[in-house]
Amino acid sequence: MAGPGSGRWFGLGPGKDGSAGRTPLQRLLYWGMVLAIWGAIFLLVFFAVFARDLPDTSALYEIDRQPSITYLDRNGALIAVRGTQQAPPADLDALPDYVPAAFVAIEDRRFYMHPGFDPIGMSRAMAANMRAGRVVQGGSTLTQQLAKNLFLTPDQNLKRKVQELMLAVWLEMKFSKKEILALYLNRVYFGAGAYGIESASQRYFDKGAKDLTVGEAALLAGLLKAPSRYSPVSESERAATRATVVLNEMESAGVITPEQRAAAVLEPVRVSRTLATQHAQYFIDWLDKQIRGLVGEPTEDMIVETTLDLTLQTAAERSVRRILDRDASRGVEQAALVALDGDGRVRAMIGGASYADSQFNRAVDARRQAGSAFKPFVYLAAMEAGYTPESRVVDEPVRIGNWSPRNYSGNFIGETSLANAVAQSTNTVAAAIADQIGRDNVARVAHRLGITTRIGLEPAMALGAVEVSPIEMAQAFDAFANGGQRATAYGISRIRTPRGRVIYQRAAREGRAQQVINNPPLYYMNQMLRGVVTGGTGRSAAIAGRDIAGKTGTTSDYKDAWFVGYTGGFVTAVWVGKDDATPMRGVTGGAAPAAIWKSFMEAALPRLNVMPIPNGPPMPEGWQAANPVEDLISSVGDLFGDAPPLTDESPPPVDTPVRPAPTQPVVRPTAPQPAQRREDLPVQRPEPAPPPERKAEPLFF
C-alpha cells in the first residue's frame, strides 16, 4: 500500500490537484514531461500521416526517362540529341576536386555539417524572403534536392516539403556524404535533355566530366538553378553572369584561389558546335514529325542516320547570315534554303534567320508566292506542246479577260526568241503561252515534277501567283538537274538502336526511277535555264567553270524573292522575305537570294565534285537541233565565263536575237478559250508565322 509520500515527485501530494506539495523544480519537470509525451504523440501521428504514402525508395537506382533520339549526319557526325540523354555515371574520384566543390559552394555550403536539412540555412532563407516580400532564396540542402529529384514531384506544398525532409534524413542515414554527392551529380537535370554531370559535359562541351575546366564546372553548377533560364545556348549573357556568381562562391569557400578565378573569367567557355548550330534544328524538327510515322512512338533509344551534310549545313548557315546582315537595311529579315542531291536527299536546310528566335520552319511549312521561279513549269509544258527555244514570240501588251500583265522593265521589246524571253523573265510571253497551251496543263506539269501545293488556274498563275514552299521548289527543279527523274525530298536513311538493330531502312529504288521529263523538252529547258544564269536575270549567280542553270523569282511589291538553281545532280532553292509578307525594298531574285545561292554553292561544289548537268534520256530517232548548241548558248551568254551581276539598279537587259527557224511560228496572245478545263486546284493560303521572340545573342563569354 502506498505511503503518504508516494507520488509527491510528480506533484500528486495533498491538495485537490496535487500542487500543494510541488516545488518549482518539480512543477517544471512535471510539465516538461507532459509536453514531451504529447509532443512525441503529435510527432508520431504527424510523421505517420505524411509517411503513409512516401514513395518506394527501392527505385533509387532506376531511371524513368523518355527514350533519346540521336541524329547523325551522312558521315556519322552528331547533329543533335532529342529526348533524355543519360551517360554512364561519373566516378567522383576521377573528377577534378573543383568540379564537385563548385556544386557544394553554390548549392549547399554547409553540406558536410548538416544531417540532411540545415536549420541555419532555412532560417536565413526565410528571413531573406520575408525582407523581399517574395521567394528570392531557397533553404533546401543538396540532400533535400536529391530526395526531391529521386522520389518526389516538383509540387510546392507542405506535404511534399515534409516528405522531402524525411527522405533527406533517410538518405543521410543510409549513405555517406561522398555517396550522396555522387548520386546528386549523376542524377540531376542540366537542361538540353542531359541528366547527370557526364551527360551534361558531353552535351555542352563535347568532353568527359573529368576534363572540365574551372569555368566549365562553374557554368554547369550555375545551370541547376534554372536550366532553361541559364542555358549557355539561348541565354548566353545570363549564363555568363550566373557562372561568375558561382566562381565568386568558389573563391569565397576556398575551393579556388583568386588567381584561378581570374584565369577562369578570362578563358572563354565554348559550347559544343552541335548545340550552337541552331539552324540544323529546323531539319531535326522536320524529321521528328516523320519518325513516329515510320516506327511509331519510341520505346527505346534510337539512332537516326540522316542525309544532312554538316559541312554543307555550316556553309549554308554562313551564307544566309552574311547576306541577311548585308541586306537588313533593305528589309530582308528572313530566309530559307533547301539543298538536295539528284535523288532527293536533303544535304542542307535553313528554316529561318534564327532558330532561337523562331522555330517556324519556312523551308517546309511556309507557303509563299513563287513569282517567276514558277515559269519553268509553264515553259516545260510549252516544250511538250511543240515549242523550242528558238520559237519566235512577241513581247507586247497582253490582255486575258480583265487581267493585263506587265514586265519588270516596264517596256516591250517586240519579237524575240523564246530562249531570250525565258532568260529575261518576260511576263507577257509567259502569260500568253500559258493561256494558249492551257493553264491546267501547266498545273499538271508542276505536280508531276514535285509541287504538292494545290494550284489555282487564274491567269496570274503563269507568273507565279502560286504559293509554294522552298522544299517543293527544290524537289521539282531536281528533275531538271538529274536527267528528268522525279525526286522526292527526304532526310532519313536508316533508324537503328544503339546496339545495331535496324528499325527502319529506306528502300533503294527498284528498277528505273520515274521519268517525268523526256527529251527533247529536257534538253531545251536546261539550255534555256542555263541562259538565265549566263545572260539573264540570274547572272549574279554564275560561277566560273561550272555548268549552272536556274531561275529567279520576284513577286509584286517585292514581298518574296527566290532563286532556284542547279548543276548536275544538285539543286538549291533559296527564298528571302518577311514573315508578315510586307514588301522589302527593291529586293529581286537576282539580288539577295542569288547571292546566298552563289555563296553556298561556291563552298559546296568543291566538296560535292558534281558533274555537268546530264542530258537525260536519248533523243527521239532522227532528232537534230535546229541550230548548233553553241549558237544557242552564245545568244544568251558565255557558259563558262564570268558575267557582271545584274543588280536592281542595272538597266534592263537588251534582246539578243536568235536566228529563227523558218518553220517556227511567231506566238501572239490569243483570247482565252471559254471551254478551257479547270482543275479543282485553288490557291492555298499560308498560315502566318509566329512572331519572333526577342533573344540575347548566342554564345558566349
Side-chain angles (χ1 to χ4, degrees):
M1 188 172 186
S6 65
R8 285 186 178 180
W9 176 255
F10 297 101
L12 300 179
K16 190 171 183 178
D17 58 359
S19 60
R22 287 187 308 190
T23 66
L25 179 60
Q26 288 175 325
R27 287 198 297 272
L28 180 63
L29 291 172
Y30 169 76
W31 288 111
M33 291 186 67
V34 169
L35 290 174
I37 292 170
W38 280 109
I41 294 172
F42 173 79
L43 288 176
L44 184 64
V45 172
F46 181 84
F47 282 107
V49 169
F50 285 100
R52 185 172 52 190
D53 57 350
L54 275 172
D56 181 11
T57 57
S58 64
L60 175 64
Y61 296 103
E62 296 177 6
I63 302 175
D64 181 19
R65 64 184 182 91
Q66 294 296 314
S68 69
I69 304 177
T70 300
Y71 295 88
L72 306 179
D73 87 336
R74 64 189 302 261
N75 299 308
L78 178 66
I79 303 173
V81 180
R82 294 283 177 91
T84 303
Q85 183 180 8
Q86 183 79 33
D91 180 4
L92 207 65
D93 291 331
L95 300 179
D97 291 341
Y98 53 74
V99 172
F103 293 85
V104 172
I106 193 63
E107 293 293 327
D108 186 4
R109 185 81 73 87
R110 293 169 49 81
F111 171 69
Y112 291 102
M113 294 176 280
H114 61 65
F117 62 94
D118 184 6
I120 297 175
M122 294 170 68
S123 301
R124 182 176 61 247
M126 188 179 300
N129 295 337
M130 290 179 64
R131 284 194 302 270
R134 57 188 177 88
V135 177
V136 295
Q137 193 176 116
S140 295
T141 65
L142 190 148
T143 314
Q144 287 176 264
Q145 294 178 45
L146 176 62
K148 178 180 68 177
N149 290 333
L150 290 177
F151 306 119
L152 301 172
T153 67
D155 298 336
Q156 295 289 341
N157 54 54
L158 178 62
K159 180 179 180 180
R160 191 203 65 87
K161 198 66 180 175
V162 172
Q163 290 182 334
E164 179 186 292
L165 286 168
M166 295 170 67
L167 289 168
V169 172
W170 175 82
L171 286 169
E172 291 279 350
M173 294 173 62
K174 186 174 179 62
F175 299 101
S176 68
K177 290 288 187 180
K178 181 179 178 181
E179 291 171 328
I180 290 172
L181 186 55
L183 270 172
Y184 178 82
L185 291 178
N186 285 313
R187 297 297 293 274
V188 72
Y189 182 58
F190 287 87
Y195 283 82
I197 184 75
E198 184 66 28
S199 176
S201 182
Q202 293 175 6
R203 179 69 66 90
Y204 286 103
F205 307 120
D206 283 334
K207 62 170 68 174
K210 63 182 179 59
D211 299 318
L212 288 171
T213 65
V214 172
E216 291 165 346
L219 177 70
L220 292 181
L223 273 174
L224 298 186
K225 184 175 183 180
S228 60
R229 179 176 172 80
Y230 295 105
S231 167
V233 176
S234 58
E235 300 290 346
S236 59
E237 293 183 9
R238 191 175 287 156
T241 301
R242 176 68 177 166
T244 303
V245 171
V246 176
L247 289 172
N248 293 340
E249 292 295 322
M250 293 172 71
E251 180 188 356
S252 175
V255 173
I256 57 175
T257 64
E259 291 75 20
Q260 286 177 300
R261 180 200 173 282
V265 169
L266 293 176
E267 181 182 1
V269 174
R270 303 194 183 280
V271 173
S272 159
R273 185 172 71 94
T274 298
L275 276 180
T277 304
Q278 289 298 297
H279 294 303
Q281 302 305 317
Y282 290 114
F283 175 72
I284 299 304
D285 285 350
W286 179 56
L287 298 189
D288 192 57
K289 299 174 184 178
Q290 303 173 31
I291 288 173
R292 284 155 183 81
L294 294 174
V295 302
E297 194 65 30
T299 58
E300 58 184 326
D301 291 350
M302 296 189 303
I303 296 174
V304 179
E305 298 174 3
T306 77
T307 63
L308 195 81
D309 188 319
L310 269 180
T311 301
L312 300 188
Q313 178 71 20
T314 301
E317 292 164 12
R318 289 172 179 166
S319 299
V320 168
R321 186 71 268 158
R322 184 172 65 84
I323 301 303
L324 287 183
D325 290 343
R326 187 196 75 178
D327 292 351
S329 62
R330 302 180 68 183
V332 180
E333 295 179 356
Q334 288 292 348
L337 178 151
V338 178
L340 309 179
D341 69 11
D343 290 326
R345 301 180 186 93
V346 176
R347 297 303 195 199
M349 177 182 286
I350 306 292
S354 169
Y355 185 83
D357 289 343
S358 170
Q359 290 77 55
F360 180 69
N361 191 342
R362 296 153 189 84
V364 175
D365 299 323
R367 298 289 188 275
R368 304 298 288 257
Q369 287 197 356
S372 293
F374 189 81
K375 288 178 183 175
F377 310 124
V378 175
Y379 292 120
L380 177 57
M383 298 300 105
E384 293 175 345
Y387 287 82
T388 74
E390 296 188 30
S391 294
R392 304 305 291 176
V393 293
V394 179
D395 175 19
E396 62 184 359
V398 172
R399 178 167 293 277
I400 304 174
N402 295 323
W403 178 68
S404 182
R406 59 185 178 86
N407 294 323
Y408 173 72
S409 66
N411 301 319
F412 303 100
I413 63 174
E415 184 178 329
T416 185
S417 69
L418 185 58
N420 191 66
V422 173
Q424 312 308 340
S425 200
T426 307
N427 287 337
T428 58
V429 172
I433 288 180
D435 187 63
Q436 186 180 71
I437 64 176
R439 290 183 291 276
D440 53 346
N441 290 323
V442 174
R444 275 191 285 271
V445 165
H447 286 308
R448 191 175 79 221
L449 267 61
I451 297 298
T452 58
T453 302
R454 303 178 73 185
I455 301 173
L457 301 181
E458 298 81 4
M461 67 90 82
L463 307 187
V466 178
E467 293 168 333
V468 294
S469 67
I471 197 168
E472 286 179 87
M473 293 294 283
Q475 70 183 11
F477 271 68
D478 215 353
F480 298 126
N482 67 14
Q485 298 176 355
R486 168 70 183 259
T488 301
Y490 71 95
I492 299 174
S493 300
R494 186 169 68 157
I495 302 175
R496 59 180 172 85
T497 67
R499 294 180 178 272
R501 181 172 64 86
V502 176
I503 305 173
Y504 165 81
Q505 176 79 52
R506 183 174 177 85
R509 288 184 174 182
E510 296 182 5
R512 188 176 175 183
Q514 181 185 4
Q515 192 75 30
V516 291
I517 314 177
N518 290 307
N519 270 323
L522 176 62
Y523 171 82
Y524 291 149
M525 288 303 303
N526 282 334
Q527 295 304 323
M528 292 194 297
L529 293 177
R530 284 182 175 111
V532 172
V533 176
T534 58
T537 58
R539 282 184 291 174
S540 59
I543 300 175
R546 296 289 184 177
D547 188 9
I548 301 296
K551 188 69 186 75
T552 58
T554 310
T555 60
S556 60
D557 298 327
Y558 304 102
K559 293 179 181 178
D560 302 280
W562 296 76
F563 186 79
V564 187
Y566 60 94
T567 186
F570 196 78
V571 59
T572 300
V574 178
W575 165 88
V576 303
K578 297 182 181 180
D579 282 339
D580 59 5
T582 55
M584 297 175 286
R585 286 185 280 282
V587 177
T588 65
I596 292 172
W597 188 93
K598 181 176 181 178
S599 175
F600 167 65
M601 292 293 278
E602 284 181 328
L605 291 179
R607 178 177 176 83
L608 295 168
N609 194 27
V610 296
M611 302 298 289
I613 299 169
N615 293 326
M619 292 291 182
E621 186 176 352
W623 177 89
Q624 288 185 346
N627 288 296
V629 174
E630 290 78 6
D631 287 352
L632 178 62
I633 294 173
S634 66
S635 69
V636 287
D638 179 10
L639 176 60
F640 295 108
D642 285 318
L646 181 67
T647 66
D648 296 336
E649 292 75 29
S650 301
V654 297
D655 178 27
T656 305
V658 180
R659 292 197 305 272
T663 59
Q664 292 173 344
V666 173
V667 178
R668 294 183 182 275
T670 59
Q673 302 173 9
Q676 183 180 14
R677 289 179 291 115
R678 298 177 65 87
E679 294 180 342
D680 181 22
L681 298 171
V683 173
Q684 177 180 339
R685 298 293 177 187
E687 296 182 4
E693 301 172 1
R694 298 288 297 174
K695 287 280 186 178
E697 287 293 321
L699 177 79
F700 188 53
F701 52 171

